[in-house]
């Protein structure tokens, strides 16, 4: 049975839906723990780090299947993180300084999250040669 088979595609869509349900509910939970702006910065930064781990894990080791990566990236992480809320918070900020702070926090911590996630994936993969091959 190939990935193009309708039942496999339906199963993948169902898994993405489950991941999306979990990610959006986790974001809702986090937003109940912290004020709005810090909670969005937190889920976006953590989501960026986890996304980097998944993406770089695929590049370095490939232990996760493409479907597993799809469920985590398209399902869980895309529902956990929220660009639209971040953009709305920046647009509704009370001062130019608040706009700069919201944008800098989301992008700065998001990029930092990606770098941290890449480092974690490298540690998981173990030592590599100069060409990127396992040692």
């Amino acid at each position: 049975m190939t990935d193009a088979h309708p039942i496999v595609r339906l199963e993948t869509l169902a898994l993405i839906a489950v991941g999306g349900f979990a990610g959006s509910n986790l974001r809702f939970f986090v937003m109940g723990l912290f004020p709005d702006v810090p909670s969005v910065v937190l889920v976006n930064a953590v989501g960026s780090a986890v996304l980097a781990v998944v993406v770089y894990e695929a590049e370095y080791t490939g232990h996760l299947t493409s479907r597993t990566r799809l469920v985590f990236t398209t399902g869980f992480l895309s529902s956990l993180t929220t660009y639209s809320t971040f953009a709305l918070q920046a647009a509704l900020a009370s001062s130019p300084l608040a706009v700069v702070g919201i944008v800098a926090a989301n992008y700065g911590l998001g990029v930092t999250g990606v770098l941290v996630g890449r480092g974690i994936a490298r540690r998981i993969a173990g030592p590599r040669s100069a060409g990127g091959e396992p040692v």
Side-chain angles (χ1 to χ4, degrees), residues 60 126-135:
Y60 297 149
R128 321 277 302 163
S129 69
E133 295 298 317
V135 176

Side-chain angles (χ1 to χ4, degrees), residues 10-78:
L10 183 60
E11 179 186 27
T12 302
L13 289 173
L15 290 170
I16 290 170
V18 168
F21 176 81
S24 60
N25 278 284
L26 180 57
R27 176 171 24 117
F28 180 75
F29 176 75
V30 171
M31 291 185 81
L33 294 176
F34 304 104
D36 286 348
V37 172
S39 63
V40 169
V41 171
L42 176 65
V43 297
N44 287 343
V46 170
S48 295
V50 175
L51 178 63
V53 170
V54 173
V55 169
Y56 283 105
E57 184 281 334
E59 181 180 328
Y60 297 149
T61 65
H63 292 306
L64 298 176
T65 67
S66 61
R67 244 176 43 182
T68 300
R69 288 190 304 271
L70 187 65
V71 169
F72 277 105
T73 59
T74 303
F76 181 75
L77 293 171
S78 68

Side-chain angles (χ1 to χ4, degrees), residues 58-125:
E59 181 180 328
Y60 297 149
T61 65
H63 292 306
L64 298 176
T65 67
S66 61
R67 244 176 43 182
T68 300
R69 288 190 304 271
L70 187 65
V71 169
F72 277 105
T73 59
T74 303
F76 181 75
L77 293 171
S78 68
S79 295
L80 173 67
T81 60
T82 173
Y83 180 83
S84 58
T85 303
F86 149 52
L88 184 64
Q89 287 174 342
L92 297 175
S94 59
S95 71
L97 185 59
V99 172
V100 170
I102 291 169
V103 171
N106 274 281
Y107 282 119
L109 292 175
V111 170
T112 301
V114 169
L115 297 173
V116 167
R118 182 177 66 185
I120 291 169
R122 282 182 175 161
R123 285 187 178 266
I124 291 169

